[in-house]
Amino acid sequence: MLSPTEIVKTIQTIDYSLITGFNEIKDLVFDSRKVITPNQSLFFAIKTSNDDGHKYIEELFHKGVINFVISEPIKNFSKWNANFYRVSDPILALQQLAIQHRKNFTYPVIGITGSNGKTTVKEWLAQVLTDDFNIVKNPNSFNSQIGVPLSVWQMSAKDTIGIFEAGISQLGEMEKLEPIIQPGIGILCNIGDAHAAHFSGIHEKLNEKLKLFKHAKFLVYCADHTLIHYVIQEQQYHKIQKLSWGFHEDALYQINHIDKQRSKTIIHFNGFEYALEIPFTDDASIENCCHIAATLLHFKYSIPEINGKLSSLTHLSMRMEIKEALNRSIVINDTYSLDINSLKIALDFLGTQSQFEKKTLILSDFDQVNLSDDDYLHIAQIVKEHHIKKLVLVGEEMSKKTAVFDVPKKIVFQTTDQLLQHLTEININFEAVLVKGARKFQFEKVVRAVQLKSHQTVLQVDLGAITHNLNYYRSLLEPNTKLMAMVKALSYGLGDSELINELRYHNIDYLAVAYVDEGVALRKRKINTPIVVLGAEAAGFSTMIQYQLEPEIFNFHYLNKLAETLQLFPEKQNYPIHIKIDTGMHRLGFDPDSVLELTNFLKQYPQMIVASVFSHFAASEDPNEDHFTIHQATIFQNTCDIIEKELGYSFMRHIANSAAISRFKQFHFDCVRLGLGLYGYTAVKEDQLKLQNTITLKSIITQIKNVKKDDTIGYNRTFVVQNEMNIAIVPIGYADGYPKELSNGKGFMIVKGKKCPVVGKICMDMTMIDVTGIDVHEEDEVIIYNDQNNLNIISESIQKSPYELLTAISKRVQRIYIRD
């Protein structure tokens, strides 16, 4: 804990104002939504291209926060009776506090970096050491300029080892992270192309990452990576003892032979009596396990002891997943690790699921050993502050601590098997369930037991990628320009409330749906963001008024009907409507010539107020049609001016769609509408390079067949086998939304990284693919759409749009939402 006066001494303040110096700081916070203990929190008002933390100071002050690190003049906040510390860079101030905190501890600290595998190595290493150490580590992938200091801030005297990963994306970043982590032992994972955009080449990137080990005494790395091994021999790294492994003759732990078996890999090292046994056969997992083995050898574990620890490892899903569960519920799967920091993060995410009043937490004993009574009181306070209604505790330690948890309902089990045997007693019904457990409790079994049993084909939606795309477009806007997200047709097929909660969490201004039923469904799921109904019909006006939905009005017929309906609700005043103007697309909208008639009508019905006037670009993505786009915008602007003059008040104006957000910044006006771009697809090539793929459609192999030369495959015998081949049957077909146009080699799926062409006609529920020459088995994963098999490319090949492919994905394909 730090006092305000100690904060002043630690960070480089330009100015400060202390109203009180007696409260101590426990939590460092940069996200206003994640303040748990206001009077013990220090808030960092960080400015980014998408947001400004200073605008949340008033809200946080009223919640009880009284300590703020700011970069704007203190006089701007003088009306609030709080402590302010003005600095040039709040992120740097956060790092300075973490550096000072790190100096308090002398136990071993392991630093991990690299392009791929660092989070897996961190989590696996923590798992194999958990019985022998009290471990502090980054929660999830908190490895950034902000994530690392927040992670190191959690170091305490009760811990006996620290394991921290560090990620960078440009020059100069690792020099800031090294003094925060100060690792004595380093692990360098492989160096690849990830985050390479800001480096001149892989050599520069490697040198930047190696700065993490500037003061380290030991370094684990694979000597078979030629560039890494070459650079490590330079003079500046001579003082570091190399704990290298590999086939290379210079490797400290030299590999003599590798034997890949059905489900494990045996590695023979020169000079060792016993072989290393790794419970994986893929190259990435083998490399990660070798890093761990070399580290454990340094800690004087024997090979048999290491084998015993590695045997418990499983592939990690290092993202939280939301899945449909029993009785209209959802289950949040966050089962790959458990510590206090990751519990906070998971509970924050659970809290965003506002469509459910009931929140249930299934919690096991912690990864850390020897938690103190104060630790359990802290855990109980976190659970209480997140309004958990039902708590299921599993494990010997948790069963002893039941009394400290103040929740309406508590259920206790000694083991996971006992929980599974009595699952019905938990009575899951229309609630959000967070499953959070240490690896040894194998809570993935609990997730499987409570999730809906469904189709093996699933659509995985990456909420982090959705957020990235939202922030990309937001970065192109002026601060006061509002953003309306198009979430019609189940958010273009990606889902409704689970996805929309993520948008709400990131302060979306408006949502737009096509029909009344879509808006009502969101309201019933407690989505309270303003919702515009773009396909408003007279039959639904009464329902829209009751559910506070805002209609698009595009002709006089519906305007009359709405006026008549509003008379049935005399208590409704200033009911917001959105006027559509036809500027040349000729789909829906009032003609510009009719606006005087329109405004005269509106003046007669004061129950209605124009919230916005908008139109729709016909071809804003096409440079060949720019003259027409500009023509549309001119008509729109002139029409809006007339309406505003006649009505005597201002309203929101919007015409820009996803393409126009980047191509026509002069036409952003008061609001923009973000559609397909939000979901990762656009016809604007410059934008497409900056967007992230949001979906992975995947399935499994249900059967493998050998087909002889001259045999035929599929309906109508349209595919004749030219040479003997092996085919795999995948349970997805046109009833799932997989287009028949991809039949007979037009499309492909990905199995074990290899492209496998579709053979024969796509059936209603199944598709056959060519897996000749690939070592595949039943239940192996099959990727149908992802980064490599991108919807933009697929849609071009069959003359469809990404809209069509996304919205065609059937409801019987379960949506799973993932978040880092």
Side-chain angles (χ1 to χ4, degrees), residues 273-322:
E273 179 181 358
Y274 298 98
L276 185 70
E277 296 184 10
I278 295 173
F280 308 102
T281 58
D282 63 288
D283 291 340
S285 296
I286 292 169
E287 181 167 342
N288 292 337
C289 285
C290 286
H291 288 318
I292 292 167
T295 305
L296 294 182
L297 286 168
H298 171 69
F299 280 104
K300 307 303 181 185
Y301 289 93
S302 68
I303 292 287
E305 288 174 322
I306 295 171
N307 289 340
K309 290 180 176 295
L310 294 181
S311 66
S312 66
L313 298 181
T314 59
H315 282 294
L316 300 177
S317 174
M318 289 175 291
R319 292 166 159 179
M320 283 181 276
E321 297 178 332
I322 306 180

Coordinates of all heavy atoms in Angstrom, one line a residue, residues 273-322:
E273 N 20.2 -40.0 -18.1 CA 19.7 -41.4 -18.1 C 18.3 -41.6 -18.5 O 18.0 -42.6 -19.2 CB 19.9 -41.9 -16.6 CG 19.4 -43.4 -16.4 CD 19.6 -43.9 -15.0 OE1 20.0 -43.0 -14.1 OE2 19.2 -45.0 -14.7
Y274 N 17.4 -40.6 -18.2 CA 16.0 -40.8 -18.5 C 15.7 -39.8 -19.7 O 16.3 -38.7 -19.8 CB 15.2 -40.4 -17.3 CG 15.4 -41.4 -16.1 CD1 16.2 -41.0 -15.1 CD2 14.8 -42.6 -16.1 CE1 16.4 -41.9 -14.0 CE2 15.0 -43.5 -15.0 CZ 15.8 -43.1 -14.0 OH 16.0 -43.9 -12.9
A275 N 14.7 -40.2 -20.4 CA 14.2 -39.4 -21.5 C 13.0 -38.5 -21.0 O 12.3 -38.8 -20.1 CB 13.6 -40.3 -22.7
L276 N 12.9 -37.3 -21.7 CA 11.8 -36.4 -21.4 C 10.6 -36.9 -22.1 O 10.6 -37.2 -23.3 CB 12.2 -35.0 -21.8 CG 11.3 -33.9 -21.5 CD1 11.3 -33.6 -20.0 CD2 11.6 -32.6 -22.2
E277 N 9.5 -36.9 -21.4 CA 8.2 -37.3 -21.9 C 7.2 -36.1 -22.0 O 6.9 -35.6 -20.9 CB 7.6 -38.5 -21.2 CG 8.4 -39.7 -21.2 CD 7.7 -40.9 -20.5 OE1 6.5 -40.8 -20.2 OE2 8.4 -41.9 -20.3
I278 N 6.8 -35.7 -23.2 CA 5.9 -34.6 -23.4 C 4.6 -35.1 -23.8 O 4.5 -35.8 -24.8 CB 6.6 -33.6 -24.4 CG1 7.9 -33.0 -23.8 CG2 5.6 -32.5 -24.7 CD1 8.6 -32.2 -24.8
P279 N 3.5 -34.7 -23.2 CA 2.2 -35.2 -23.6 C 1.5 -34.5 -24.8 O 0.3 -34.4 -24.9 CB 1.3 -34.9 -22.3 CG 1.9 -33.7 -21.7 CD 3.4 -33.8 -22.0
F280 N 2.4 -34.1 -25.8 CA 1.9 -33.5 -27.0 C 2.7 -33.9 -28.1 O 3.9 -34.4 -28.0 CB 1.9 -32.0 -26.9 CG 1.3 -31.4 -25.7 CD1 2.0 -31.0 -24.6 CD2 -0.1 -31.3 -25.6 CE1 1.4 -30.4 -23.5 CE2 -0.7 -30.8 -24.5 CZ 0.1 -30.3 -23.4
T281 N 2.2 -33.8 -29.4 CA 3.0 -34.1 -30.5 C 3.1 -33.0 -31.5 O 3.9 -33.1 -32.5 CB 2.3 -35.3 -31.3 OG1 1.0 -34.9 -31.6 CG2 2.3 -36.6 -30.4
D282 N 2.5 -31.9 -31.3 CA 2.6 -30.7 -32.2 C 3.9 -29.9 -31.8 O 4.3 -29.9 -30.7 CB 1.4 -29.8 -32.1 CG 1.2 -29.2 -30.8 OD1 0.8 -29.9 -29.8 OD2 1.4 -28.0 -30.6
D283 N 4.5 -29.3 -32.8 CA 5.8 -28.7 -32.7 C 5.8 -27.6 -31.7 O 6.7 -27.4 -30.9 CB 6.3 -28.2 -34.0 CG 6.7 -29.4 -34.9 OD1 6.9 -30.5 -34.4 OD2 6.8 -29.1 -36.2
A284 N 4.7 -26.7 -31.7 CA 4.7 -25.6 -30.8 C 4.6 -26.0 -29.3 O 5.3 -25.5 -28.5 CB 3.4 -24.7 -31.1
S285 N 3.8 -27.1 -29.0 CA 3.7 -27.5 -27.6 C 5.0 -28.2 -27.2 O 5.4 -28.1 -26.0 CB 2.6 -28.5 -27.5 OG 1.3 -27.9 -27.8
I286 N 5.7 -28.9 -28.1 CA 7.0 -29.5 -27.8 C 8.0 -28.5 -27.4 O 8.7 -28.6 -26.4 CB 7.5 -30.4 -29.0 CG1 6.6 -31.6 -29.2 CG2 8.9 -30.8 -28.7 CD1 6.8 -32.4 -30.5
E287 N 8.0 -27.4 -28.2 CA 9.0 -26.3 -27.9 C 8.7 -25.7 -26.6 O 9.6 -25.4 -25.8 CB 9.0 -25.3 -29.0 CG 9.9 -24.1 -28.8 CD 10.1 -23.3 -30.0 OE1 9.8 -23.7 -31.1 OE2 10.6 -22.1 -29.9
N288 N 7.4 -25.4 -26.3 CA 7.0 -24.8 -25.0 C 7.4 -25.7 -23.9 O 7.9 -25.2 -22.8 CB 5.5 -24.5 -25.0 CG 5.1 -23.4 -26.0 OD1 5.9 -22.6 -26.4 ND2 3.9 -23.4 -26.5
C289 N 7.2 -27.0 -24.0 CA 7.5 -27.9 -22.9 C 9.0 -28.0 -22.7 O 9.5 -28.1 -21.6 CB 6.9 -29.3 -23.2 SG 5.1 -29.4 -22.9
C290 N 9.8 -27.9 -23.8 CA 11.3 -27.9 -23.6 C 11.7 -26.7 -22.9 O 12.7 -26.8 -22.1 CB 11.9 -28.0 -25.0 SG 11.8 -29.7 -25.7
H291 N 11.1 -25.5 -23.1 CA 11.5 -24.3 -22.3 C 11.2 -24.6 -20.9 O 12.1 -24.2 -20.0 CB 10.6 -23.1 -22.8 CG 11.0 -22.6 -24.1 ND1 12.3 -22.4 -24.6 CD2 10.2 -22.1 -25.2 CE1 12.3 -21.9 -25.8 NE2 11.1 -21.7 -26.2
I292 N 10.1 -25.2 -20.6 CA 9.7 -25.5 -19.2 C 10.7 -26.5 -18.6 O 11.2 -26.3 -17.4 CB 8.3 -25.9 -19.1 CG1 7.3 -24.8 -19.5 CG2 7.9 -26.5 -17.7 CD1 5.9 -25.2 -19.7
A293 N 11.0 -27.5 -19.3 CA 11.9 -28.5 -18.8 C 13.3 -28.0 -18.5 O 13.9 -28.3 -17.4 CB 12.0 -29.7 -19.8
A294 N 13.8 -27.1 -19.4 CA 15.1 -26.5 -19.1 C 15.1 -25.6 -17.9 O 16.1 -25.6 -17.1 CB 15.5 -25.7 -20.3
T295 N 14.0 -24.9 -17.7 CA 13.8 -24.1 -16.5 C 13.8 -25.0 -15.2 O 14.4 -24.7 -14.2 CB 12.5 -23.3 -16.6 OG1 12.6 -22.5 -17.8 CG2 12.4 -22.3 -15.4
L296 N 13.1 -26.1 -15.3 CA 13.0 -27.0 -14.1 C 14.3 -27.7 -13.8 O 14.7 -27.9 -12.7 CB 11.9 -28.0 -14.4 CG 10.4 -27.5 -14.4 CD1 9.5 -28.6 -14.6 CD2 10.1 -26.7 -13.2
L297 N 15.0 -28.0 -14.9 CA 16.4 -28.5 -14.7 C 17.3 -27.5 -13.9 O 18.1 -27.9 -13.0 CB 17.0 -28.9 -16.0 CG 16.5 -30.2 -16.7 CD1 17.0 -30.3 -18.1 CD2 16.9 -31.4 -15.8
H298 N 17.1 -26.3 -14.2 CA 17.9 -25.2 -13.5 C 17.5 -25.2 -12.1 O 18.3 -24.9 -11.2 CB 17.6 -23.9 -14.2 CG 18.1 -22.7 -13.4 ND1 19.5 -22.5 -13.3 CD2 17.5 -21.7 -12.7 CE1 19.7 -21.4 -12.5 NE2 18.5 -20.9 -12.1
F299 N 16.2 -25.5 -11.8 CA 15.7 -25.5 -10.4 C 16.0 -26.9 -9.7 O 15.5 -27.1 -8.6 CB 14.2 -25.2 -10.3 CG 13.9 -23.7 -10.4 CD1 13.4 -23.2 -11.6 CD2 14.1 -22.9 -9.3 CE1 13.1 -21.8 -11.6 CE2 13.8 -21.5 -9.4 CZ 13.3 -21.0 -10.5
K300 N 16.8 -27.7 -10.3 CA 17.3 -29.0 -9.8 C 16.3 -30.1 -9.7 O 16.4 -31.0 -8.9 CB 17.9 -28.8 -8.4 CG 19.0 -27.7 -8.3 CD 20.1 -27.9 -9.3 CE 21.2 -26.9 -9.2 NZ 22.3 -27.0 -10.2
Y301 N 15.2 -30.0 -10.5 CA 14.3 -31.1 -10.7 C 14.9 -32.1 -11.5 O 15.6 -31.8 -12.5 CB 13.0 -30.6 -11.3 CG 12.1 -29.8 -10.4 CD1 12.2 -28.4 -10.5 CD2 11.2 -30.3 -9.5 CE1 11.4 -27.5 -9.7 CE2 10.4 -29.5 -8.7 CZ 10.5 -28.1 -8.8 OH 9.7 -27.3 -8.0
S302 N 14.7 -33.4 -11.2 CA 15.2 -34.5 -12.1 C 14.2 -34.7 -13.2 O 13.1 -34.3 -13.2 CB 15.2 -35.8 -11.2 OG 13.9 -36.2 -10.9
I303 N 14.7 -35.4 -14.3 CA 13.9 -35.7 -15.4 C 12.6 -36.5 -15.0 O 11.5 -36.1 -15.5 CB 14.7 -36.5 -16.5 CG1 15.7 -35.6 -17.1 CG2 13.7 -37.0 -17.6 CD1 15.2 -34.5 -18.1
P304 N 12.7 -37.5 -14.2 CA 11.4 -38.2 -13.8 C 10.4 -37.3 -13.1 O 9.2 -37.4 -13.3 CB 11.9 -39.3 -12.9 CG 13.3 -39.6 -13.3 CD 13.9 -38.3 -13.7
E305 N 11.0 -36.4 -12.3 CA 10.1 -35.4 -11.6 C 9.4 -34.5 -12.6 O 8.2 -34.1 -12.5 CB 10.9 -34.6 -10.6 CG 11.3 -35.3 -9.3 CD 12.2 -34.5 -8.4 OE1 13.1 -33.8 -8.9 OE2 12.0 -34.7 -7.2
I306 N 10.2 -34.0 -13.6 CA 9.7 -33.2 -14.6 C 8.6 -33.9 -15.5 O 7.6 -33.3 -15.8 CB 10.9 -32.7 -15.6 CG1 11.8 -31.8 -14.8 CG2 10.3 -31.9 -16.8 CD1 13.1 -31.4 -15.5
N307 N 8.9 -35.1 -15.8 CA 7.9 -35.9 -16.5 C 6.6 -36.0 -15.8 O 5.5 -35.9 -16.4 CB 8.4 -37.3 -16.8 CG 9.5 -37.3 -17.9 OD1 9.7 -36.4 -18.6 ND2 10.3 -38.4 -17.9
G308 N 6.6 -36.2 -14.5 CA 5.4 -36.2 -13.7 C 4.7 -34.9 -13.7 O 3.4 -34.9 -13.8
K309 N 5.4 -33.8 -13.7 CA 4.7 -32.5 -13.7 C 4.1 -32.2 -15.1 O 3.0 -31.7 -15.3 CB 5.7 -31.4 -13.3 CG 6.1 -31.5 -11.8 CD 7.0 -30.4 -11.4 CE 7.3 -30.4 -10.0 NZ 6.1 -30.1 -9.1
L310 N 4.9 -32.6 -16.2 CA 4.4 -32.3 -17.5 C 3.2 -33.2 -17.9 O 2.4 -32.8 -18.7 CB 5.5 -32.6 -18.6 CG 6.8 -31.7 -18.5 CD1 7.7 -32.1 -19.6 CD2 6.4 -30.2 -18.7
S311 N 3.1 -34.3 -17.3 CA 2.0 -35.2 -17.6 C 0.6 -34.7 -17.3 O -0.4 -35.1 -17.9 CB 2.2 -36.6 -16.9 OG 2.0 -36.4 -15.5
S312 N 0.6 -33.7 -16.5 CA -0.7 -33.1 -16.1 C -1.2 -31.9 -17.0 O -2.3 -31.4 -17.0 CB -0.7 -32.5 -14.7 OG 0.2 -31.4 -14.6
L313 N -0.3 -31.6 -18.0 CA -0.5 -30.4 -18.8 C -1.5 -30.8 -19.9 O -1.5 -31.9 -20.5 CB 0.7 -29.9 -19.5 CG 1.8 -29.4 -18.6 CD1 3.0 -28.9 -19.3 CD2 1.3 -28.2 -17.7
T314 N -2.4 -29.8 -20.3 CA -3.3 -30.0 -21.4 C -3.3 -28.7 -22.2 O -2.9 -27.7 -21.8 CB -4.8 -30.3 -20.9 OG1 -5.2 -29.2 -20.1 CG2 -4.9 -31.6 -20.2
H315 N -3.8 -28.8 -23.5 CA -3.8 -27.6 -24.3 C -4.7 -26.6 -23.6 O -5.8 -27.0 -23.1 CB -4.4 -28.0 -25.7 CG -3.4 -28.6 -26.6 ND1 -2.3 -27.9 -27.1 CD2 -3.3 -29.8 -27.1 CE1 -1.5 -28.7 -27.8 NE2 -2.1 -29.8 -27.9
L316 N -4.3 -25.4 -23.6 CA -5.0 -24.3 -22.9 C -5.9 -23.5 -23.9 O -5.5 -23.1 -25.0 CB -4.1 -23.3 -22.3 CG -3.1 -23.9 -21.2 CD1 -2.2 -22.8 -20.7 CD2 -3.9 -24.5 -20.1
S317 N -7.1 -23.3 -23.5 CA -7.9 -22.3 -24.2 C -7.8 -21.0 -23.3 O -8.4 -20.8 -22.3 CB -9.4 -22.7 -24.2 OG -10.2 -21.6 -24.7
M318 N -6.9 -20.1 -23.8 CA -6.5 -19.0 -23.0 C -7.4 -17.8 -23.1 O -7.0 -16.6 -23.0 CB -5.1 -18.6 -23.3 CG -4.1 -19.7 -22.7 SD -2.4 -19.4 -23.1 CE -2.4 -19.7 -24.9
R319 N -8.7 -18.0 -23.4 CA -9.6 -17.0 -23.5 C -10.9 -17.4 -22.8 O -11.2 -18.6 -22.8 CB -10.0 -16.7 -25.0 CG -8.8 -16.1 -25.8 CD -9.1 -16.2 -27.3 NE -8.3 -15.2 -28.0 CZ -8.4 -15.1 -29.3 NH1 -9.1 -15.9 -30.0 NH2 -7.6 -14.2 -30.0
M320 N -11.6 -16.5 -22.3 CA -12.9 -16.8 -21.7 C -13.9 -17.1 -22.8 O -13.8 -16.4 -23.9 CB -13.4 -15.6 -20.9 CG -12.8 -15.5 -19.5 SD -13.4 -14.2 -18.5 CE -12.4 -12.8 -19.1
E321 N -14.7 -18.0 -22.6 CA -15.7 -18.4 -23.6 C -17.1 -18.3 -23.0 O -17.3 -18.7 -21.9 CB -15.5 -19.9 -24.1 CG -14.2 -20.1 -24.8 CD -14.1 -21.6 -25.2 OE1 -14.7 -22.4 -24.5 OE2 -13.4 -21.9 -26.2
I322 N -18.0 -17.7 -23.8 CA -19.4 -17.7 -23.4 C -20.2 -18.7 -24.3 O -20.1 -18.7 -25.5 CB -20.1 -16.3 -23.6 CG1 -19.3 -15.2 -23.0 CG2 -21.5 -16.4 -23.1 CD1 -20.0 -13.9 -23.1

